[in-house]
Amino acid sequence: MSTTSTGTTSTGMTPAPAHVTVIGLGPMGRAMTGAFLDRGHHVTVWNRTPSRADALVARGAVLAATAEEALGASELVVLSLTDYDAVYAVLSGVAPAALAGRVLVNLTSDTPAKARAGAEWVAERGATQITGGVLVPPSGIGDPESSTLYSGPQSVFEAHRPTLEALTGTDYRGEDPGLAALLYQLNMVMFWTSLTSYWQAVAMADAHGLKAADILPLAVNALDLTRFLEFYTPRVDAGDHTGDVDRLAMGAASAEHVLHTATDAGVDGALPAAVLDLFKRGLAAGHGADSCSSLVEILKRSAT
Ligand code: NDP
């Protein structure tokens, strides 16, 4: 079930106003609180720095004096903190009884291992964790076309899905509390490396007097990898690295040209050098005549 832009669910029902607590009012927590308020929910908030709640209180949110008071206000508690260390910093300070019976929708990003340990930690205190990975920036909160990954006990998630649909579309993946965190990190490794490659290209363009605007169409085309992903996916899953279309030796030569184009212009070469190093390890492992996808086999094993 998804939510339409008018706030109704795909069944045409408007979810009943719920009580929800938001702990953590960074840009994300503030956007989430605003989205819950927009849908008519009763929102209690708490933040280490209380002044961040001012605009939300003006819109109808209730500012709790303590985290414990915020937990007491709602069964459904959304956590939007920097990382799991911050989660423990907040929750360790409350009486365990304040956690009992709560559903903690932890939209704080961190590693899968920390998400699983966090789920155990809250279960020991009588609460349930639903792990989330938000796939959009704060500007995407409130948009049903946006998406958040969720995992954890399904029946608990389904009970609160209509309320959570105020934030984004909901993409439930399974019972393992680490799964949403894992998928989120897979998303982020692709996001950060792709975006960094764009920044590298902008720096190299700048060295030749070109502005970011000059390379926008090129960048849009280069970062749309759809046809490559569709081509490689079945082959990689089948362990097929046949070099019939591309060869690692060709890729290594190209990666070397990229590095020299950067360093010849006095631009930082750390990123292209790291890419070239990976290709060279593929060559050293005997994959020169195989597809560049054989780098997956190199990446499966830690170099250290
Ligand atoms: P911020 O780091 O800006 O804010 C997080 C909140 O954590 C603040 O309310 C801050 O309180 C609180 N906090 C940090 N450390 C502590 C601590 N030791 N004790 C108590 N409170 C603490 O994060 P965002 O709002 O940007 O994001 C929240 C989560 O959402 C993060 O896990 C982030 O990775 C994830 N996310 C963010 C996206 C984004 O574009 N912003 C996109 C997708 C996911 P205080 O105000 O007092 O400093």
Side-chain angles (χ1 to χ4, degrees):
M1 187 164 62
S2 60
T3 318
T4 71
S5 57
T6 56
T8 58
T9 65
S10 55
T11 61
M13 308 275 288
T14 301
H19 287 269
V20 55
T21 287
V22 178
I23 291 181
L25 297 176
M28 194 51 103
R30 293 200 297 275
M32 290 175 173
T33 302
F36 283 131
L37 290 170
D38 286 345
R39 300 291 161 89
H41 296 303
H42 307 288
V43 192
T44 300
V45 296
W46 182 83
N47 195 53
R48 177 179 62 179
T49 308
S51 59
R52 291 202 216 288
D54 290 350
L56 297 163
V57 169
R59 292 180 54 194
V62 174
L63 176 62
T66 62
E68 198 164 309
E69 188 181 308
L71 286 163
S74 324
E75 179 193 4
L76 179 62
V77 178
V78 169
L79 300 172
S80 179
L81 296 158
T82 303
D83 52 25
Y84 272 58
D85 286 347
V87 171
Y88 291 119
V90 173
L91 298 186
S92 298
V94 306
L99 284 166
R102 304 297 110 179
V103 173
L104 304 179
V105 178
N106 199 340
L107 301 179
T108 303
S109 56
D110 214 315
T111 66
K114 289 199 175 177
R116 291 185 186 113
E120 278 181 31
W121 190 90
V122 302
E124 286 162 5
R125 287 151 183 81
T128 305
Q129 174 175 295
I130 300 292
T131 311
V134 182
L135 296 179
V136 289
S139 58
I141 299 299
D143 179 354
E145 299 299 318
S146 300
S147 187
T148 299
L149 301 158
Y150 290 99
S151 67
Q154 185 164 12
S155 59
V156 178
F157 173 75
E158 293 299 343
H160 295 284
R161 188 198 287 259
T163 308
L164 294 170
E165 284 180 337
L167 302 179
T168 62
T170 54
D171 186 359
Y172 177 79
R173 292 307 186 100
E175 297 269 337
D176 170 11
L179 184 58
L182 170 64
L183 294 171
Y184 176 82
Q185 296 306 340
L186 298 184
N187 178 73
M188 294 315 292
V189 70
M190 291 185 274
F191 175 77
W192 284 126
T193 48
S194 301
L195 198 58
T196 306
S197 75
Y198 166 68
W199 292 328
Q200 175 80 38
V202 170
M204 290 168 67
D206 177 77
H208 294 273
L210 297 175
K211 308 293 288 179
D214 296 322
I215 65 163
L216 179 59
L218 186 77
V220 168
N221 182 61
L223 292 178
D224 178 4
L225 295 170
T226 307
R227 66 185 187 282
F228 294 99
L229 303 182
E230 288 175 350
F231 173 76
Y232 284 121
T233 292
R235 287 184 169 219
V236 167
D237 278 348
D240 176 3
H241 301 303
T242 308
D244 55 345
V245 175
D246 64 316
R247 290 186 312 118
L248 187 69
M250 172 279 295
S254 174
E256 192 146 17
H257 303 157
V258 173
L259 173 62
H260 291 154
T261 301
T263 54
D264 285 356
V267 172
D268 191 292
L271 180 65
V275 173
L276 179 58
D277 176 68
L278 180 62
F279 274 83
K280 283 185 171 171
R281 285 197 281 137
L283 292 179
H287 290 298
D290 295 338
S291 166
C292 294
S293 68
S294 60
L295 291 179
V296 170
E297 306 306 326
I298 305 299
L299 290 164
K300 282 179 183 172
R301 295 181 297 277
S302 168
T304 54

